[in-house]
Every structure is written in C-alpha cells, then in structure tokens.
Amino acid sequence: MTPTPATSTTITEWRKERTVPKVVDHEQRRIEFVEALWRIMSRVGFEAATLQNISAEAGYANGAIKPYFSTKDDLLTFAFDYVFTQTNARMAEATRGLAGVAALRAYCLEILPIDEVKLNEARIVIPFWHLSLGDSAKCEVHEEAMRRWRGVMATHVKEAQDAGEVDTRLPVSTVVGQLLNMMLGAQITATLTPADQSVDDLVEQLDTFISLLQLGTGDRIPAAATTAQSAGPRRRSAPRSGGSGSAGRP
C-alpha cells in the first residue's frame, strides 16, 4: 500500500510527484544503448547483439529501445557517429597548443586503440565498415569522417615541414595516406589479435613511422641501425581483457 502523507502540504507535493511526467534525457538514453552495445560486443561480438539483449544490458525493458533505434543497423550508425564525435573532441583537447610533429603524434594517439575506451570504439568501427560495403549512405558517413581526419593530419604534416621537422620532399598526401592506413589497420589488429599488438607495440610503430619522416635525407635506415634498434629492451603491457568502457566518443 502506498503511504499517505500526514499533512495537506505534503499531500499536494506527493500528488505532483505522481502526476508530473518524468523528464527523460533522450540523448543520454541513446548513449546508454551504445555503451550497452559495447559491453555485449566485447563479450560475444556484434552478430550476437540483438535489440532485446542490448535493451536488457542497458537496464530497460525489451521495447524501450525501439523508439530510439528501430534496427540494430540504426544503432550501429549512431554509435559510429558518436565514436567519431567523441574522438574528435579528444583530439582537439590533446592537440591544444601543439603544432607540427607534436600535434600529429597527439592526434594519432587518439585513434590508436591503446586503452579500453579506444578499443571499444574500434569494435564499433569494424562492423560498421562491413555494413558500409553494401550501403552507400554509410559509406558517405565514413568517408566524411575520413576527409576531416585527412585534412587535419595534412595541416600538421605541413606545419612540421615548414618547421623543418619533416623531410619536405615527402608529398603531404602520401604521408597522410600512409599514416591513416596505419591507424585504421591498428584498429583491426588490436581487436582481432590483441595478444600480438600490445599498447607499447602500437605506440612504437607510430613513433617509428614519425621518426622515418624526420630522417631528412630520404635514405633508408641502414640495416645495422635497425638491427641494433630491434635488439633493444622492450616493455610490453599487460594483455587487455574485454569489458565495458565509456566513450566519454570522438
């Protein structure tokens, strides 16, 4: 039985609480479903995720997700856009006050899946790529995201060349293309073969690529130098386990 308030004042307040509709933050609700999708994908993969178990994972009844996402593909498209937005926000913060090589490195570190948040983001991106193969609208969403990243990377590479940090003979578009392909490839390998791609490995690959841009002569590193470098001590991070993460993206 519902308790009855003791005074007329509390009765009025009590009636208001029972009659005023609860205000729902719809954007936050969508994000909760995205984060629920992340957790399910980290355990059993995208194909095993359903609207029903995503809704349950988020703590809601089966039909609660339908007003927001009518299909799993709709949720994945929203999740990709969310990841991209959150990643861009991190990039802006990480590169604040930086230019040239320092900005380029900081920018790329926000794409590399080197923590649980960015690994979860990669888990969203990969199935989105798969669905985009037969969906021109999704392809355009992805291409628009990549155009933005290429543009910012190109700006930082040009800054580095103007400052004498990077070989000016290297075409900016080629450097950007190689670097972006490396970042996207890292999302695949870190997701599919995490035991072979530690955090240290991924960061070292990025730093090695940047160091090649800084050679200045355009010559290859001598074989003796690469042998000595590879023989040096290597710190490997602990294997990452699947789990939930906050996008809090892009």
Side-chain angles (χ1 to χ4, degrees), residues 49 57 60 63 67 70-71 81 83 93 98 112 120 128 144 153 176 179-180 185 192 194 197 206 211 216 219 222 232:
E57 179 73 23
Y60 297 105
S70 58
T71 67
D81 184 67
V83 164
E93 182 61 29
L98 301 179
L112 278 182
N120 278 333
F128 183 82
E144 177 58 31
M153 286 182 175
V176 170
L179 194 51
L180 187 56
L192 298 182
Q197 299 290 330
L206 172 61
S211 71
D219 296 332

Side-chain angles (χ1 to χ4, degrees), residues 115-148:
D115 59 38
E116 195 63 28
V117 169
K118 295 164 195 166
L119 189 60
N120 278 333
E121 291 173 348
R123 292 182 180 123
I124 291 291
V125 169
I126 292 172
F128 183 82
W129 289 340
H130 175 72
L131 292 177
S132 297
L133 294 176
D135 189 325
S136 60
K138 287 185 175 61
C139 281
E140 180 55 32
V141 169
H142 180 265
E143 180 53 28
E144 177 58 31
M146 295 304 99
R147 277 195 293 267
R148 175 167 177 171

Side-chain angles (χ1 to χ4, degrees), residues 43-57:
R43 296 195 302 266
V44 295
F46 178 72
E47 291 301 324
T50 66
L51 291 182
Q52 289 74 23
N53 62 22
I54 292 168
S55 190
E57 179 73 23

Side-chain angles (χ1 to χ4, degrees), residues 34-42 83 120-121 124 245-247:
V34 169
E35 292 177 345
L37 174 61
W38 282 353
R39 293 192 293 272
I40 291 173
M41 289 176 65
S42 71
V83 164
N120 278 333
E121 291 173 348
I124 291 291
S246 171

Side-chain angles (χ1 to χ4, degrees), residues 13-200:
E13 294 172 351
W14 174 72
R15 284 174 176 167
K16 285 182 179 179
E17 290 177 358
R18 290 179 60 84
T19 57
V20 175
K22 182 180 179 181
V23 177
V24 177
D25 185 336
H26 295 293
E27 187 66 13
Q28 180 58 37
R29 184 69 57 83
R30 290 184 180 92
I31 293 170
E32 289 175 10
F33 288 132
V34 169
E35 292 177 345
L37 174 61
W38 282 353
R39 293 192 293 272
I40 291 173
M41 289 176 65
S42 71
R43 296 195 302 266
V44 295
F46 178 72
E47 291 301 324
T50 66
L51 291 182
Q52 289 74 23
N53 62 22
I54 292 168
S55 190
E57 179 73 23
Y60 297 105
N62 282 346
I65 195 172
K66 284 297 183 72
Y68 299 94
F69 306 104
S70 58
T71 67
K72 191 169 67 170
D73 284 7
D74 291 341
L75 172 56
L76 185 62
T77 300
F78 175 85
F80 177 84
D81 184 67
Y82 178 71
V83 164
F84 180 67
T85 300
Q86 293 302 110
T87 302
N88 287 339
R90 292 198 310 265
M91 288 168 164
E93 182 61 29
T95 59
R96 193 183 308 279
L98 301 179
V101 165
L104 185 64
R105 182 179 187 274
Y107 195 85
C108 291
L109 285 175
E110 296 306 321
I111 305 174
L112 278 182
I114 55 178
D115 59 38
E116 195 63 28
V117 169
K118 295 164 195 166
L119 189 60
N120 278 333
E121 291 173 348
R123 292 182 180 123
I124 291 291
V125 169
I126 292 172
F128 183 82
W129 289 340
H130 175 72
L131 292 177
S132 297
L133 294 176
D135 189 325
S136 60
K138 287 185 175 61
C139 281
E140 180 55 32
V141 169
H142 180 265
E143 180 53 28
E144 177 58 31
M146 295 304 99
R147 277 195 293 267
R148 175 167 177 171
W149 283 3
R150 285 194 296 268
V152 177
M153 286 182 175
T155 296
H156 293 321
V157 172
K158 189 63 170 62
E159 291 170 347
Q161 289 183 329
D162 292 343
E165 297 177 324
V166 167
D167 190 340
T168 57
R169 295 172 296 177
L170 298 173
V172 172
S173 61
T174 299
V175 173
V176 170
Q178 290 176 320
L179 194 51
L180 187 56
N181 286 341
M182 180 188 299
M183 297 301 100
L184 301 183
Q187 290 184 316
I188 296 173
T189 56
T191 302
L192 298 182
T193 57
D196 298 330
Q197 299 290 330
S198 72
V199 170
D200 286 348

